[in-house]
Amino acid sequence: MHDPKTPMDIGNAMIDCLVQIDKSQDCGSCTLCWASKKPIGFKNHSKIILDENSPAAMGHNSMYARNVFDPETYKFKIVKPSTNNKLGKKVTRGKLQGAKIYTVTLEERATCTRDCEHWLDCYGNNMPFAHRIKASPKIMNRISEDLDELDAKGKKYLVRLHVLGDFFSVEYVNFWIDEIMSRPLLNVYGYTRWHIGTEIGDRINEYNSHSRFAIRFSNALSGFRAMS
């Protein structure tokens, strides 16, 4: 754990959950820990708020259909190096210090639960140029191919799930669990709005004790959570 007297930015706090001995521990100044009494005041939700009867809200899909791609025909890698200034390109502290950060971006709303508090003001509304990948069993083969290349580098790496979108099936959760088990260099962290009590949320929770798998439950009342 970090020194509680040392300021911690949000990006590092997200990553530090992978180095805690016990994920129920309070990391002092880390406002992302479920045990912290400080709520997170994120200010990065979309300035574009959908009408609840809009095509994207009603259709459970992105506003930007032209930038939603089929994983089978997508010409680029699905697991991409991080270019996000807040997230950073490498882990800066803890047992993964120096590890490169990669991201996966799915289609918002199409992969999400309608219970999400940000269904209408999803941050994806602000991202017209981001490439989203459609939820499909085919995506798993493509991701595996990308991870093979990262494993070949012989260094630990961190994949952030998901810049947009969410776990879209239990099979997809199981896919990431299997990848963690078979790839000792792979580390995964991220957020989900599928809470404990849903099939997807329960499967994630079952495996959240693994030292290289850390998925926080967004706006949950209990458990390994983050507020937004």
Side-chain angles (χ1 to χ4, degrees):
M1 294 193 299
H2 69 277
D3 183 346
K5 297 180 182 180
T6 302
M8 173 180 281
D9 61 34
I10 289 179
N12 284 335
M14 291 175 179
I15 293 169
D16 267 5
C17 64
L18 288 173
V19 300
Q20 290 172 249
I21 297 174
D22 179 349
K23 290 175 184 174
S24 67
Q25 290 176 320
D26 185 347
C27 281
S29 62
C30 173
T31 58
L32 289 174
C33 181
W34 76 268
S36 174
K37 296 180 180 179
K38 302 176 183 178
I40 304 170
F42 283 122
K43 298 181 180 179
N44 63 347
H45 295 301
S46 178
K47 296 179 181 178
I48 301 174
I49 302 176
L50 298 180
D51 184 277
E52 61 182 9
N53 295 317
S54 66
M58 295 290 289
H60 293 226
N61 49 39
S62 173
M63 293 174 59
Y64 307 107
R66 290 184 179 181
N67 274 334
V68 179
F69 298 90
D70 187 296
E72 192 171 32
T73 57
Y74 188 56
K75 297 179 180 180
F76 306 101
K77 295 184 184 302
I78 293 176
V79 183
K80 301 176 182 292
S82 171
T83 58
N84 185 293
N85 290 332
K86 185 176 73 173
L87 182 61
K89 296 180 179 180
K90 291 184 178 181
V91 181
T92 59
R93 64 177 69 203
K95 67 179 182 180
L96 293 180
Q97 184 173 4
K100 288 187 176 181
I101 302 174
Y102 297 83
T103 62
V104 173
T105 304
L106 303 182
E107 184 181 4
E108 67 273 32
R109 280 181 289 273
T111 56
C112 305
T113 170
R114 186 60 182 84
D115 292 333
C116 180
E117 290 80 1
H118 301 293
W119 187 263
L120 299 179
D121 69 342
C122 174
Y123 191 60
N125 298 352
N126 282 344
M127 300 171 65
F129 304 112
H131 286 196
R132 292 102 160 134
I133 308 301
K134 286 184 179 180
S136 162
K138 299 173 185 176
I139 197 176
M140 302 178 208
N141 291 334
R142 287 293 312 277
I143 290 174
S144 286
E145 292 172 0
D146 291 348
L147 296 182
D148 284 343
E149 292 188 20
L150 296 178
D151 281 344
K153 298 178 184 293
K155 298 180 180 180
K156 293 179 180 179
Y157 58 99
L158 177 66
V159 177
R160 197 284 204 210
L161 304 177
H162 301 92
V163 174
L164 297 176
D166 206 333
F167 294 89
F168 56 86
S169 68
V170 172
E171 290 73 23
Y172 180 64
V173 178
N174 289 338
F175 162 78
W176 279 107
I177 292 173
D178 290 343
E179 295 300 300
I180 281 285
M181 294 296 291
S182 62
R183 301 180 188 272
L185 299 176
L186 170 63
N187 297 265
V188 171
Y189 91 103
Y191 304 87
T192 182
R193 184 49 181 79
W194 296 102
H195 287 176
I196 297 171
T198 65
E199 191 175 8
I200 292 175
D202 286 346
R203 185 66 179 116
I204 292 170
N205 187 58
E206 183 180 342
Y207 211 70
N208 245 348
S209 59
H210 194 284
S211 62
R212 292 187 287 112
F213 185 84
I215 304 297
R216 293 183 182 271
F217 296 102
S218 298
N219 297 314
L221 297 177
S222 62
F224 189 43
R225 64 176 181 157
M227 307 305 289
S228 68

